[in-house]
Amino acid sequence: MTKEIRRAAGLSPIFFALAFGAYAQEAEQEPVANDAGAAGGYADGLQDLPNDMAMEPTGNADVDFVLGMIPHHQNAIDMAKAALELGRGPEIQELAREIIAAHEAELRWMQDWLIQNGYNPATGGPFVAVEQGKAPD
């Protein structure tokens, strides 16, 4: 067997898989009339992602993990809500509902955990003890 034949025989399964995969993917997807709306909905959810994820480390790995996960979960919820509003596929609708339910529960848990551990979920910073009768600075 020549080198060219061996190379072609070795690559043919790869080419078949690529060609079949592209064909199968095209067959599964039908044009969606609201693609522009979906893109806008997802763009809205992702627009502030890098800013939301930016945080000043607290020095506590547990707190930093939770503070980083909160915007991640919120963005997943926002994207799933856009999928519910704009999507048509029943499997995606079900997945979006599952993501919303799971991430909302985890988000509440993380916020409660932060509070129990002395951190403000809104600011990411520690709660400052306020003397009775004095307003915080």
Side-chain angles (χ1 to χ4, degrees):
M1 194 182 285
T2 68
K3 186 189 272 187
E4 289 80 23
I5 293 173
R6 282 195 308 261
R7 188 175 330 141
L11 291 178
S12 63
I14 295 169
F15 289 129
F16 175 79
L18 290 172
F20 181 75
Y23 170 77
Q25 191 172 27
E26 283 179 23
E28 287 179 22
Q29 296 176 350
E30 59 183 67
V32 178
N34 62 0
D35 278 347
Y42 296 130
D44 291 346
L46 295 174
Q47 180 177 339
D48 294 326
L49 182 60
N51 294 332
D52 289 345
M53 298 291 282
M55 56 175 249
E56 191 69 32
T58 66
N60 180 322
D62 294 338
V63 172
D64 291 345
F65 171 74
V66 171
L67 289 173
M69 291 302 291
I70 287 174
H72 164 77
H73 276 54
Q74 186 59 58
N75 281 301
I77 291 167
D78 294 344
M79 290 177 65
K81 286 180 178 178
L84 281 177
E85 182 181 333
L86 302 167
R88 297 191 316 201
E91 298 93 353
I92 299 302
Q93 295 284 303
E94 180 60 27
L95 177 62
R97 283 189 286 277
E98 291 172 8
I99 287 171
I100 291 167
H103 280 62
E104 283 179 343
E106 291 172 0
L107 193 56
R108 284 188 302 274
W109 185 93
M110 288 185 284
Q111 291 167 337
D112 290 345
W113 184 89
L114 284 170
I115 291 167
Q116 292 168 4
N117 286 278
Y119 286 83
N120 183 340
T123 66
F127 282 114
V128 178
V130 178
E131 289 183 43
Q132 192 170 5
K134 292 187 177 181
D137 295 333

